[in-house]
Amino acid sequence: MTTTTRTRVPNRSTRPRGLPPHGLLWLVLRQQRLALAVFAAAAIGLTLYAVQGRAATLDAITQLNLPPCPPTESCPVPKAFNRDHVEPLRALLSLLPLLPMALGLFLGGPVFSQEQESGTHRMVLSQSVTRGRWFLAKVSVPVLAAAAVSATVTKAATDWWSLVHGRMGSDFGWMSWMPYDAIGPAPVARAVLMVSIGIACGVLLRRTVTAMGATALTAGILLVALEQSRRFFRPMITTDGPFGRPLLPPGGSWEYDRGLTTATGAPAAVPEQCSPLDTTDKYLGCARDHGVTRQWVTYHPHSDLWPIQYTEAAICLTAAAAVLVFAWWWTRRRLR
């Protein structure tokens, strides 16, 4: 009697094997890999520049023994410190306000417009993937990337500015667009809003170049609107005093407006005929003869910096959510 032994060959289909990248998220990452790589490299470069600059500034503060300076006071620093550390910081802070706009143009604008322009979105929508899932995958990558890039760079810039501001006080305040537009949470929220606007423009206009142009125009209008309305994010303080004496807000404040009044509080102005007078006393006397008796100034104190920043960030994130909801509705109902 003979026994035949058979060797069982395992089924190739049941062998474990490494799964290649697949799915919607992988597809979106591949579609935007160039823009993501460029912004990642830019974020790394700018962050390293800020970190290195802060470290060098800290060493200089130690060597020069610069004392801390309250934000309401003016503390001049040596010219060498200003040249080697303050000016490089100003250069970075002047550049960073462009980052949210760039993210909106190159990450947000092409997301949907490229596929609609080429017609490839129809192939995706003809599969088993729902529109909602497709939209979520397409949106999550640029929005999260914009938030990560902006947060990383802004955090490094804010740390550097805080160190320099802590030695210069009101000489490097917060009240102008630089550094305000490059520090704190507001730039991160603006980046998310700009990308959301780019996504919505791409969904609506279906052409990449047109969507990018519309994104730039819309984002520019919104940025101007934010800048003009920023002063209303916190109640302003108004101080008045006699006309003829210096009336200045506390150091480090953002002065918004000032003016003159009569004794009854009515608005007043110094007549033109008072200006040519050759002495201060004659000028003041002429102004008083025309009813000018008091003056006032309206300002935001230094303590309003972070409340204004967080208020602006909340407004931008709320607007971004509304824009994305509209784009989602348009994708589900009107996209063909």
Side-chain angles (χ1 to χ4, degrees):
M1 181 176 183
T2 60
T3 303
T4 304
T5 302
R6 294 184 178 180
T7 303
R8 186 173 183 178
V9 180
N11 188 351
R12 293 181 179 271
S13 62
T14 62
R15 289 180 180 177
R17 59 180 180 179
L19 294 177
H22 65 288
L24 275 177
L25 189 59
W26 174 79
L27 175 63
V28 176
L29 288 172
R30 278 192 58 83
Q31 288 174 335
Q32 296 194 290
R33 61 186 182 276
L34 178 58
L36 292 173
V38 169
F39 280 112
I44 292 172
L46 292 173
T47 301
L48 290 177
Y49 176 83
V51 170
Q52 183 181 9
R54 185 183 186 279
T57 301
L58 187 59
D59 291 340
I61 289 174
T62 303
Q63 293 174 6
L64 297 173
N65 196 25
L66 294 179
C69 179
T72 58
E73 296 183 10
S74 173
C75 301
V77 295
K79 290 184 178 180
F81 182 85
N82 186 79
R83 180 190 67 242
D84 297 335
H85 304 284
V86 179
E87 292 305 321
L89 173 58
R90 290 183 184 274
L92 175 65
L93 296 177
S94 300
L95 176 65
L96 290 188
L98 299 175
L99 183 59
M101 179 73 77
L103 289 167
L105 286 176
F106 298 103
L107 275 185
V111 170
F112 287 98
S113 58
Q114 282 185 339
E115 287 203 31
Q116 293 186 85
E117 192 169 9
S118 61
T120 55
H121 70 286
R122 298 188 182 93
M123 179 185 66
V124 177
L125 295 179
S126 65
Q127 307 300 317
S128 59
V129 178
T130 64
R131 288 175 179 251
R133 185 182 167 196
W134 177 65
F135 180 85
L136 181 61
K138 295 284 286 183
V139 166
S140 60
V141 170
V143 170
L144 293 178
V149 167
S150 182
T152 302
V153 177
T154 302
K155 177 62 168 59
T158 302
D159 289 344
W160 191 5
W161 172 80
S162 298
L163 180 63
V164 174
H165 177 59
R167 296 304 185 276
M168 297 180 64
S170 60
D171 286 342
F172 201 163
W174 61 278
M175 62 289 301
S176 64
W177 67 272
M178 188 275 293
Y180 181 90
D181 286 340
I183 61 173
V188 182
R190 283 198 297 271
V192 173
L193 176 58
M194 297 301 105
V195 171
S196 302
I197 291 173
I199 290 171
C201 290
V203 169
L204 290 174
L205 300 176
R206 305 169 68 93
R207 295 291 184 271
T208 303
V209 175
T210 306
M212 293 176 69
T215 300
L217 178 62
T218 306
I221 293 173
L222 286 179
L223 290 176
V224 172
L226 281 172
E227 184 178 359
Q228 295 299 318
S229 59
R230 190 173 294 155
R231 61 183 181 269
F232 302 115
F233 294 166
R234 291 281 294 175
M236 288 183 284
I237 298 175
T238 300
T239 302
D240 67 338
F243 175 69
R245 298 179 183 177
L247 181 63
L248 299 174
S253 299
W254 172 19
E255 180 180 328
Y256 170 63
D257 198 9
R258 61 172 56 242
L260 305 172
T261 63
T262 63
T264 61
V270 178
E272 294 182 1
Q273 58 264 33
C274 298
S275 299
L277 299 179
D278 54 357
T279 65
T280 302
D281 291 339
K282 291 181 180 179
Y283 173 82
L284 295 177
C286 176
R288 293 190 183 99
D289 291 341
H290 288 82
V292 179
T293 59
R294 299 190 67 79
Q295 57 182 331
W296 55 267
V297 59
T298 301
Y299 63 93
H300 281 290
H302 181 273
S303 58
D304 280 353
L305 166 59
W306 298 120
I308 290 176
Q309 279 268 338
Y310 282 109
T311 301
E312 182 170 337
I315 291 173
C316 289
L317 292 178
T318 302
V323 170
L324 290 178
V325 168
F326 171 76
W328 173 78
W329 174 85
W330 188 276
T331 302
R332 285 177 59 88
R333 303 293 182 181
R334 306 294 296 273
L335 184 62
R336 297 291 184 268

